[in-house]
């Protein structure tokens, strides 16, 4: 009889119609976890090689944690090679680099995918493209923005395993794909929005990684931007919508294990979420009235088992960043910093004479060299910092301020605007966020890229930093790791460091 009551409580709880007097909360949590574990035994993970960095944020259950690093790190001394996108600054925008079980690299950008050897030599390239790809077993999965053409590529040869149009469209950042244990998760459809800031994806789908057939569809309470599934186990996944709402769903059927929508729905974030090793979820989003350039951000922690919010903290900068968790699990790492503006050189297309265009571009270069571009246009310099919060309560443990940025746009975007004006490539900008997502090593050091063209290695225990200059902006998945290797992917370059 007791077993029947327990299962009845689970059923009623999942449909949010249970009576609290009859179903003890902790019992529900334990029973739900048992149910997930049972499903995992019924559906063992797909067999295949174990990749070093299969997702843009690392390894499931060990997200954002590097492989062992030396006690002393000097990025300049460790720099091994640099790879430049064949299309130059305007050929494609690199979101992340994935690393397989043999330390081969897969550079995913908006227009193509390139496989490189551990020494940076080209192995193959594909005309398929997508900002956020994923490795699962012997294949790479991605999707074209706009058209919703999903694809699977053989890792050894780069040849198509299958392609399938999985929806009529995607959102403006709708080429974000994740995959695990035989299921590919992506955002599709479009939600119309006023203005030119882009349109979010409308619903989430799971497809069979063997053939691209849709398994399930789920529509969250808010649109999705930079959607990135996170996997706490073999049978479920978490994600955050653009309003900061948090969810945990069944990987194989899209069933709702828990959901925590956030109001008002008019809020927006360019950032995302992360899981710690226990499966607890951390989100970083922006409340209503907070834009990407100014305002505040809100950070929340949810218990992985049942979605109960454990704490909430307000930070003094908008959340346009993907958080990270330290190797010991004690610190949530954020990087406050607002978005830069559009490149001034884009305005050259409105000028009638070639001489005026050249003068405008030359002026921007001079202002950048003198660190006075933002002040010239009556804009304050962009502040930035690296921040550590206590994962147990959300309180600030430390904050490291960095040098303000004096450019209107981020690094190399004035050059991209000029190149595009002159017919050299289809993309007029990278327009990255202020910071990449961070990763952290067992010494407590934080590795993070900044779109000023700098990579920081910050040690909060000694309050010291080491920097390496790339000269380019960087996106959220720009930091990758493998044994004896650190990889930094900027908008148009890949830098490898070996130890």
């Amino acid at each position: 009889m007791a077993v029947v009551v327990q299962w009845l409580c689970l059923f009623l709880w999942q449909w949010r119609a249970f009576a609290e007097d009859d179903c003890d909360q902790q019992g529900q949590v334990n029973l739900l976890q048992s149910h997930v574990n049972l499903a995992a035994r019924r559906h063992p993970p797909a067999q295949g090689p174990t990749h070093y960095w299969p997702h843009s944020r690392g390894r499931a259950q060990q997200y954002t944690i590097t492989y062992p690093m030396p006690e002393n790190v000097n990025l300049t001394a460790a720099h091994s090679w640099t790879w430049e996108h064949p299309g130059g600054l305007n050929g494609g925008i690199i979101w992340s680099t994935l690393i397989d079980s043999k330390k081969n690299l897969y550079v995913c950008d908006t227009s193509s995918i390139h496989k490189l050897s551990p020494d940076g030599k080209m192995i193959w390239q594909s005309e398929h493209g997508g900002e956020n790809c994923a490795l699962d077993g012997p294949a790479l999965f991605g999707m074209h923005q706009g058209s919703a053409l999903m694809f699977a590529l053989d890792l050894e040869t780069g040849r198509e395993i299958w392609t399938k149009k999985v929806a009529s469209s995607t959102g403006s950042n709708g080429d974000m794909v994740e995959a695990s244990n035989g299921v590919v998760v992506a955002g599709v459809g479009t939600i119309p929005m006023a203005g030119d800031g882009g349109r979010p994806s409308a619903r989430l789908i799971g497809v069979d990684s063997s053939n691209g057939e849709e398994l399930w569809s789920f529509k969250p309470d808010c649109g999705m931007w930079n959607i990135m599934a996170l996997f706490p186990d073999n049978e479920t996944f978490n994600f955050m919508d653009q309003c900061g709402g948090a969810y945990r769903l069944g990987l194989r059927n899209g069933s709702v294990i828990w959901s925590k929508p956030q109001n008002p729905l008019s809020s927006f974030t360019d950032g995302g979420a992360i899981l710690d090793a226990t499966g607890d979820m951390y989100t970083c989003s922006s409340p209503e009235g907070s834009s990407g350039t100014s305002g505040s951000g809100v950070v929340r922690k949810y218990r992985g088992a049942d979605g109960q919010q454990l704490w909430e903290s307000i930070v003094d900068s908008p959340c346009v960043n993907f958080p990270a968790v330290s190797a010991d699990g004690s610190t949530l790492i954020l990087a406050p910093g607002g978005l830069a503006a559009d490149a001034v050189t884009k305005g050259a297309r409105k000028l009638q004479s070639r001489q005026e265009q050249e003068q405008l571009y030359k002026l921007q270069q001079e202002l950048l060299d003198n660190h006075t571009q933002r002040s010239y246009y009556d804009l304050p310099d962009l502040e930035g910092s690296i921040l550590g919060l206590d994962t147990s309560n959300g309180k600030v443990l430390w904050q490291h301020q960095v040098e303000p940025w004096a450019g209107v746009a981020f690094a190399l975007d004035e050059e991209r605007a000029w190149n595009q004006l002159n017919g050299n490539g289809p993309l007029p900008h990278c327009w990255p966020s202020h910071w990449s997502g961070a990763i952290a090593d067992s010494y407590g050091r934080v590795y993070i890229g900044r779109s000023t063209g700098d990579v920081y290695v910050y040690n909060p225990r000694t309050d010291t930093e080491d920097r390496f200059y790339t000269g380019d902006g960087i996106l959220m998945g720009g930091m990758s790791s493998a044994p004896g290797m650190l990889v930094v992917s900027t908008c148009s370059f890949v830098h490898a460091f070996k130890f």
Side-chain angles (χ1 to χ4, degrees):
M1 181 66 179
V3 173
V4 173
V5 171
Q6 282 184 322
W7 280 104
L8 179 60
C9 288
L10 173 62
F11 174 82
L12 294 174
W13 175 71
Q14 286 178 321
W15 287 94
R16 291 161 174 80
F18 61 89
E20 292 183 356
D21 292 339
D22 295 327
C23 296
D24 174 74
Q25 182 180 19
Q26 189 59 48
Q28 297 162 18
V29 172
N30 294 338
L31 186 57
L32 175 61
Q33 194 60 55
S34 298
H35 183 61
V36 170
N37 292 340
L38 178 61
R41 291 196 294 272
R42 290 175 176 169
H43 300 280
Q47 298 299 312
T50 300
H51 302 301
Y52 289 120
W53 206 262
H55 312 286
S56 64
R57 302 298 283 129
R59 299 159 286 169
Q61 292 95 59
Q62 299 182 74
Y63 287 113
T64 72
I65 299 174
T66 72
Y67 287 85
M69 297 291 284
E71 183 176 357
N72 297 305
V73 172
N74 182 315
L75 291 186
T76 301
H79 188 253
S80 178
W81 52 263
T82 299
W83 178 84
E84 181 177 359
H85 192 287
L89 296 181
N90 299 69
I93 302 304
I94 301 169
W95 173 274
S96 64
T97 294
L98 309 175
I99 307 175
D100 70 13
S101 59
K102 300 176 183 178
K103 295 187 184 180
N104 296 307
L105 280 62
Y106 301 81
V107 184
C108 298
D109 69 72
T110 51
S111 63
S112 58
I113 298 171
H114 298 82
K115 179 178 180 178
L116 309 180
S117 73
D119 294 321
K121 306 300 182 183
M122 179 83 73
I123 298 176
W124 56 253
Q125 63 181 11
S126 171
E127 293 183 357
H128 286 294
E131 283 184 316
N132 192 71
C133 303
L135 305 182
D136 189 27
L140 178 149
F141 299 92
M143 184 172 67
H144 292 266
Q145 179 178 308
S147 68
L149 180 66
M150 189 176 285
F151 55 87
L153 304 181
D154 182 274
L155 293 186
E156 290 298 320
T157 65
R159 295 174 181 170
E160 293 179 0
I161 300 173
W162 55 260
T163 61
K164 187 176 182 63
K165 187 173 174 62
V166 295
S168 60
S169 64
T170 73
S172 298
N173 270 35
D175 49 359
M176 314 295 286
V177 167
E178 275 295 356
S180 180
N181 291 287
V183 180
V184 184
V185 181
V188 297
T190 303
I191 297 178
M193 294 186 70
D196 59 358
R199 296 179 177 183
S201 296
R203 62 187 178 96
L204 202 63
I205 61 170
V207 306
D208 188 326
S209 68
S210 67
N211 55 25
E213 292 295 324
E214 183 175 307
L215 300 173
W216 51 262
S217 175
F218 174 77
K219 187 175 182 179
D221 297 276
C222 183
M224 294 169 290
W225 190 267
N226 288 343
I227 174 66
M228 188 181 297
L230 300 162
F231 306 100
D233 52 45
N234 294 331
E235 294 298 319
T236 67
F237 71 96
N238 296 66
F239 76 97
M240 186 187 85
D241 64 30
Q242 72 169 25
C243 299
Y247 304 81
R248 186 180 181 193
L249 306 184
L251 179 60
R252 302 184 190 280
N253 57 18
S255 59
V256 179
I257 298 171
W258 54 259
S259 66
K260 298 295 177 179
Q262 293 296 330
N263 289 315
L265 297 181
S266 59
S267 62
F268 172 82
T269 182
D270 202 32
I274 201 65
L275 302 180
D276 65 19
T278 70
D280 288 344
M281 182 178 185
Y282 303 83
T283 65
C284 185
S285 60
S286 298
E288 185 179 29
S290 178
S291 67
T293 57
S294 62
S296 61
V298 57
V299 186
R300 301 181 179 96
K301 179 179 182 179
Y302 298 94
R303 188 162 58 200
D306 61 354
Q308 178 176 332
Q309 183 175 309
L310 301 178
W311 51 256
E312 176 180 300
S313 292
I314 303 298
V315 292
D316 58 3
S317 183
C319 272
V320 288
N321 180 244
F322 277 60
V325 178
S326 63
D328 64 5
S330 67
T331 308
L332 183 70
I333 303 163
L334 299 170
L339 298 173
D342 216 351
V344 178
T345 304
K346 279 189 177 182
R349 66 179 67 253
K350 299 178 182 179
L351 301 176
Q352 295 183 355
S353 73
R354 179 66 177 178
Q355 182 179 7
E356 289 178 308
Q357 293 176 343
E358 291 176 345
Q359 288 175 344
L360 178 64
Y361 178 60
K362 182 180 179 181
L363 173 62
Q364 306 319 307
Q365 297 303 307
E366 292 174 351
L367 293 173
L368 285 169
D369 290 342
N370 295 327
H371 306 285
T372 56
Q373 190 187 26
R374 290 185 71 88
S375 62
Y376 181 87
Y377 291 102
D378 294 324
L379 296 171
D381 287 354
L382 281 178
E383 303 287 339
S385 66
I386 308 169
L387 176 68
L389 302 182
D390 190 324
T391 55
S392 67
N393 55 29
K395 294 182 179 179
V396 175
L397 294 173
W398 47 261
Q399 186 165 14
H400 178 63
Q401 298 290 338
V402 296
E403 182 180 353
W405 172 243
V408 172
F410 280 127
L412 289 182
D413 263 9
E414 296 291 350
E415 287 85 347
R416 290 185 177 92
W418 181 249
N419 289 347
Q420 202 262 349
L421 179 69
N422 288 280
N424 298 322
L427 298 175
H429 58 240
C430 176
W431 212 344
S433 293
H434 197 125
W435 296 94
S436 74
I439 58 177
D441 69 15
S442 60
Y443 292 97
R445 291 175 299 215
V446 177
Y447 301 77
I448 189 168
R450 191 182 181 203
S451 287
T452 59
D454 297 288
V455 177
Y456 289 79
V457 182
Y458 174 65
N459 189 336
R461 299 175 183 175
T462 59
D463 193 27
T464 55
E465 69 173 40
D466 177 39
R467 277 196 283 178
F468 179 87
Y469 187 65
T470 68
D472 195 10
I474 191 168
L475 290 163
M476 286 81 155
M479 308 296 294
S480 311
S481 174
M485 177 185 291
L486 180 73
V487 178
V488 176
S489 306
T490 70
C491 295
S492 299
F493 301 88
V494 175
H495 299 266
F497 305 83
K498 295 188 177 182
F499 304 94

